[in-house]
Amino acid sequence: VQLQASGGGLVQPGGSLRLSCVASGFNLDDYAIAWFRQVPGKEREGIGCIGSSGGAYYVGSVKGRSTITKDHAKSSAHLQMHNVEADDTAVYYCAADPHAVCIEGHPWRWEYDFWGQGTLVTVSS
């Protein structure tokens, strides 16, 4: 199981970002995919997840301005976020696990065994 995250970079406040997570070695249909982010000195926090059935949930400040999707043809998952602000600056990680639960209030970091390498997003003018 391998995950490759990409799409980070500099984004202006109020703009949008789209991150990708290319998966290999497993079937997306059988795994929950989640996005997390981390800033120095803080714990890695969950942003949202999409379950094997396709249902997606989001947590915290990203609710209402984020969308997680799966692209089965490209074996990838994507995080799209609108109206970004300085507090969205972080290293973003995708994660996958066949046993993780994706429901309201999730994702939980300890449920995910497989992680991508992280991609840095900086929100600044």
Side-chain angles (χ1 to χ4, degrees):
V1 174
Q2 287 192 328
L3 300 168
Q4 182 77 28
S6 63
L10 181 64
V11 187
Q12 290 201 339
S16 299
L17 64 86
R18 186 173 188 268
L19 305 181
S20 298
C21 179
V22 178
S24 59
F26 66 98
N27 188 336
L28 276 182
D29 286 338
D30 299 329
Y31 282 62
I33 306 293
W35 287 93
F36 295 80
R37 65 185 181 186
Q38 188 171 23
V39 297
K42 291 190 176 180
E43 289 191 2
R44 192 168 297 186
E45 66 170 358
I47 296 171
C49 56
I50 184 165
S52 55
S53 62
Y57 295 87
Y58 309 89
V59 294
S61 64
V62 306
K63 246 185 183 181
R65 57 189 183 97
S66 297
T67 304
I68 297 175
T69 56
K70 285 183 180 180
D71 183 341
H72 292 275
K74 296 182 180 179
S75 192
S76 61
H78 304 278
L79 167 67
Q80 192 149 7
M81 190 182 297
H82 303 289
N83 296 322
V84 298
E85 51 197 40
D87 285 347
D88 294 318
T89 295
V91 177
Y92 285 71
Y93 299 88
C94 59
D97 200 278
H99 306 296
V101 175
C102 182
I103 57 175
E104 189 69 41
H106 287 236
W108 292 350
R109 187 178 69 248
W110 50 86
E111 289 190 308
Y112 290 83
D113 283 339
F114 304 102
W115 292 81
Q117 83 287 5
T119 184
L120 174 64
V121 173
T122 303
V123 180
S124 175
S125 56

